[in-house]
Amino acid sequence: MELTLDSIREDRAAFKAAGYVLPAFDYEKVKGNTLERPVWIHFGAGNIFRAFQANLVQRLLNDNVMDVGLIAAEGYDHEIVEKGLRPHNNLSILATLNGDRSVEKTIVGSIMESLILDRENEGEYGRLKAIFAKDTLQIASFTITEKGYAVTDTDGNILSAIAADFEKGPEMPDSYLGKVASLLYARYKRGQLPIAMVSMDNCSHNGDKLRDAMVAFAKAWCEKGLADAGFLDYVNNPTVVSFPWTMIDKITPRPDARVEALLALDGIEGLDPIITSKNTYIAPFVNAGKCEYLVMEDNFPNGRPPLEKGGVIFTDRETVDKVERMKVCTCLNPLHTALAIFGCLLGYQLIADEMKDASLRKLVEIVAYQEGLPVVTDPVIIKPKAFLDQVVKERISNPFMPDTPQRIATDISQKLAIQYGETISAYEDSPDLSVGILRMIPLVLAGWLRYLMGVDDAGKKFDISPDPLLEEVQPYVAEYALTERKKDLVRLDELLKNKKIFGVDLVSVGMAEQVKEHFAELSSCPGAVKKTLIKYTK
């Protein structure tokens, strides 16, 4: 058996016998509909898109709720399309990993066309322009990571590639965002057709990030006379071009060798992962957790499919914000980051294995239930306590989920302000609570300082995950060693005052001394990390 349309047709009985759920719709009819009257195009054909949005649409196709499929576009790494999707007729295997180690196997076939966002390829780019000129198109969505929306660097300077595209105009852009803006311009030229431009990336106020980028291009091109003067008004008119906020939540780790081996036992050939020339790790399968949430601001100027019938929650912008804050500030992300920090220090390779450690499990339970829930943002449409129970008891404890602390530790300096600073600020502002009662959050922040030393609890060096501020923050701990000798910790105050990193001035709010004391304990000797965790989680 192979992951191709011909194979799933010819070997349908064998696939079903092996436990695969197959597309149950008229593929050729849906493909014809999609090519003729496209409704939804998605940029960023990575794991979460194939595991979530593509599977969502497949369920609706199977239920005859929709009769058009998806179009996938890739603008960063063209090999994802060329080597990952097209050899398999745009099919993927979704391996849903359950906590009881069972696997739900689905062949996802809702992607009807895959394209490359390459201006120099006339065929591919021309097809994309033709799609954007269709009045049936309702949604252009994106999972291109938060960094993908950047127009400026951290100092506010326009990125060189963006600045170059500002001068080139809509006919000649080379940057990812510039090409997206040029497609939007093509839609404007077609008659100012309405559309929803929907970021589905896991970042706060994601719609604004996409909107700001499109407005920047429209403004630059209009001011320079490179685009019609009305293009800026078009992009700025939310009744014609909307940029809804969304909150997405689904764990889709890098394809795991254990899952590949399980699928290979079913007799499916050609599942070997590929590392592209841009070091993207792709495979014909995606392994993911079962739990998923997609909450969207219901603002679609050209209409939308009935995605609520597939589990999408539509609401207003304020509620999307509350759901996102609940997840990021309290119920998921702070727990992941705490496990990432101490997992790296203690040599763990799986998040789920950390949850078998009594002290680490107690750590995240206190951070979540005792310190986070009292100040959680309650979105009402999702109950925080129920969401948190699911995270702790099912998701991060799933022994079959191949998620690593090393992956989650990426860019930690960018996460602390929202994941912990928001909670600290809420305690600071509350008339009934005090920052001084927080026990585990200071320990986690001290753990990050200890992590920056790049030495694990056994005293061995380890590779710190990528982070844009490493060169700035590591010097603060560079002179410390694993010793019981009294340390001069005053030098840490400057770092702990950094609101950009922590969201608050830890010195001013009175938490710095506690963080420093914990850091001294965690770095007193080899083995001190484990001993300190046990001490404070008894």
Side-chain angles (χ1 to χ4, degrees):
M1 299 187 294
E2 297 179 341
L3 185 61
T4 64
L5 286 172
D6 286 342
S7 186
I8 65 172
R9 288 165 180 157
E10 296 169 3
D11 303 315
R12 193 171 188 85
F15 275 101
K16 285 191 170 182
Y20 287 82
V21 176
L22 301 177
F25 55 89
D26 186 330
Y27 186 89
E28 293 304 326
K29 181 179 179 180
V30 169
K31 183 174 182 180
N33 292 342
T34 306
L35 298 183
E36 176 61 26
R37 46 183 177 87
V39 167
W40 184 354
I41 184 169
H42 183 88
F43 292 85
N47 289 338
I48 194 167
F49 165 66
R50 292 188 291 145
F52 197 164
Q53 292 93 331
N55 191 44
L56 163 67
V57 170
Q58 171 146 306
R59 293 197 303 270
L60 297 177
L61 289 170
N62 287 344
D63 293 339
N64 294 315
V65 173
M66 291 180 67
D67 64 356
V68 292
L70 284 160
I71 298 171
E74 178 57 43
Y76 170 70
D77 192 336
H78 301 168
E79 291 178 58
I80 291 175
V81 167
E82 295 168 335
K83 297 180 178 180
L85 289 177
R86 288 178 178 170
H88 301 285
N89 303 125
N90 300 318
L91 300 172
S92 294
I93 296 175
L94 169 58
T96 302
L97 311 179
N98 298 315
D100 62 1
R101 294 189 177 273
S102 64
V103 183
E104 299 173 28
K105 298 173 290 190
T106 305
I107 305 257
V108 180
S110 62
I111 301 172
M112 298 292 131
E113 184 178 17
S114 57
L115 296 164
I116 295 168
L117 183 60
D118 182 0
R119 180 182 57 79
E120 296 182 355
N121 187 320
E122 293 183 5
E124 302 275 349
Y125 204 60
R127 174 60 185 153
L128 286 166
K129 283 190 172 182
I131 291 168
F132 267 75
K134 289 280 189 177
D135 58 5
T136 58
L137 188 65
Q138 297 175 329
I139 302 171
S141 59
F142 301 81
T143 48
I144 58 176
T145 77
E146 183 172 4
K147 297 175 184 177
Y149 303 102
V151 173
T152 62
D153 61 21
T154 55
D155 295 323
N157 302 310
I158 301 293
L159 296 171
S160 58
I162 302 296
D165 279 356
F166 283 175
E167 301 295 330
K168 294 175 184 176
E171 300 303 319
M172 299 291 289
D174 290 314
S175 68
Y176 199 131
L177 291 173
K179 286 178 278 194
V180 171
S182 75
L183 295 175
L184 190 56
Y185 185 64
R187 189 165 183 80
Y188 162 81
K189 295 285 285 184
R190 179 65 176 77
Q192 302 186 36
L193 296 174
I195 192 172
M197 303 287 284
V198 188
S199 169
M200 295 183 178
D201 274 295
N202 185 20
C203 54
S204 179
H205 303 171
N206 46 20
D208 285 354
K209 290 176 170 57
L210 178 56
R211 178 190 177 278
D212 290 347
M214 294 300 100
V215 168
F217 275 93
K219 183 178 181 181
W221 289 344
C222 290
E223 287 178 349
K224 298 176 188 299
L226 299 171
D228 291 353
F231 182 47
L232 180 58
D233 292 334
Y234 171 73
V235 174
N236 268 324
N237 186 347
T239 66
V240 182
V241 181
S242 68
F243 298 90
W245 290 5
T246 68
M247 190 288 290
I248 191 165
D249 179 27
K250 188 173 181 72
I251 298 177
T252 52
R254 171 175 163 170
D256 186 75
R258 296 175 299 168
V259 177
E260 180 188 352
L262 283 172
L263 300 178
L265 290 175
D266 294 329
I268 302 179
E269 301 174 356
L271 297 182
D272 295 340
I274 298 167
I275 299 177
T276 72
S277 58
K278 289 192 173 182
N279 291 317
T280 304
Y281 189 97
I282 58 175
F285 66 92
V286 182
N287 38 239
K290 190 176 185 68
C291 180
E292 60 186 27
Y293 292 92
L294 180 54
V295 183
M296 302 178 70
E297 177 188 357
D298 199 356
N299 185 4
F300 294 81
N302 202 30
R304 60 169 176 78
L307 302 180
E308 66 274 11
K309 294 184 179 180
V312 177
I313 301 172
F314 288 98
T315 185
D316 55 56
R317 174 169 287 204
E318 181 182 2
T319 304
V320 174
D321 186 45
K322 288 180 179 179
V323 173
E324 195 267 341
R325 288 174 60 81
M326 176 199 73
K327 171 196 164 190
V328 173
C329 299
T330 309
C331 294
L332 176 60
N333 297 39
L335 315 189
H336 257 158
T337 294
L339 291 171
I341 289 168
F342 288 107
C344 290
L345 288 170
L346 295 172
Y348 281 99
Q349 297 300 312
L350 288 175
I351 291 292
D353 286 344
E354 290 188 71
M355 290 298 286
K356 298 174 186 176
D357 182 308
S359 59
L360 288 173
R361 188 179 187 95
K362 187 69 172 179
L363 169 76
V364 298
E365 288 175 348
I366 295 174
V367 167
Y369 292 102
Q370 296 184 24
E371 299 185 350
L373 273 186
V375 294
V376 71
T377 300
D378 186 353
V380 180
I381 60 171
I382 300 174
K383 296 301 181 184
K385 174 65 163 52
F387 185 92
L388 186 53
D389 286 344
Q390 188 179 56
V391 167
V392 173
K393 297 174 183 178
E394 299 176 26
R395 299 178 65 181
I396 59 179
S397 300
N398 186 341
F400 206 11
M401 186 58 61
D403 212 358
T404 69
Q406 292 75 22
R407 181 190 75 84
I408 298 171
T410 301
D411 298 339
I412 284 183
S413 71
Q414 311 297 290
K415 303 173 182 177
L416 299 175
I418 185 72
Q419 293 179 13
Y420 299 104
E422 292 288 326
T423 295
I424 297 170
S425 293
Y427 273 76
E428 181 75 7
D429 295 338
S430 172
D432 303 316
L433 299 170
S434 166
V435 171
I437 68 175
L438 294 172
R439 297 165 50 210
M440 290 300 115
I441 288 178
L443 183 59
V444 172
L445 299 181
W448 180 62
L449 299 180
R450 174 67 179 79
Y451 164 87
L452 291 176
M453 294 173 69
V455 178
D456 67 19
D457 200 31
K460 298 179 181 179
K461 290 184 178 180
F462 68 90
D463 293 328
I464 291 180
S465 299
D467 190 307
L469 294 185
L470 280 183
E471 291 185 3
E472 176 181 336
V473 297
Q474 277 195 292
Y476 287 101
V477 300
E479 296 181 22
Y480 296 120
L482 301 188
T483 175
E484 293 183 356
R485 291 196 302 270
K486 186 173 177 60
K487 298 176 172 67
D488 178 6
L489 301 174
V490 175
R491 73 187 70 167
L492 294 175
D493 285 343
E494 184 180 352
L495 175 59
L496 297 177
K497 290 178 181 179
N498 193 325
K499 292 184 180 180
K500 177 182 175 183
I501 293 176
F502 297 104
V504 295
D505 178 341
L506 294 176
V507 174
S508 295
V509 301
M511 187 178 283
E513 291 304 315
Q514 190 177 5
V515 172
K516 289 190 292 185
E517 288 174 11
H518 285 327
F519 172 71
E521 290 180 280
L522 293 166
S523 61
S524 62
C525 62
V529 172
K530 183 63 179 173
K531 291 178 182 177
T532 304
L533 282 169
I534 292 172
K535 174 183 175 181
Y536 289 105
T537 58
K538 282 182 178 179

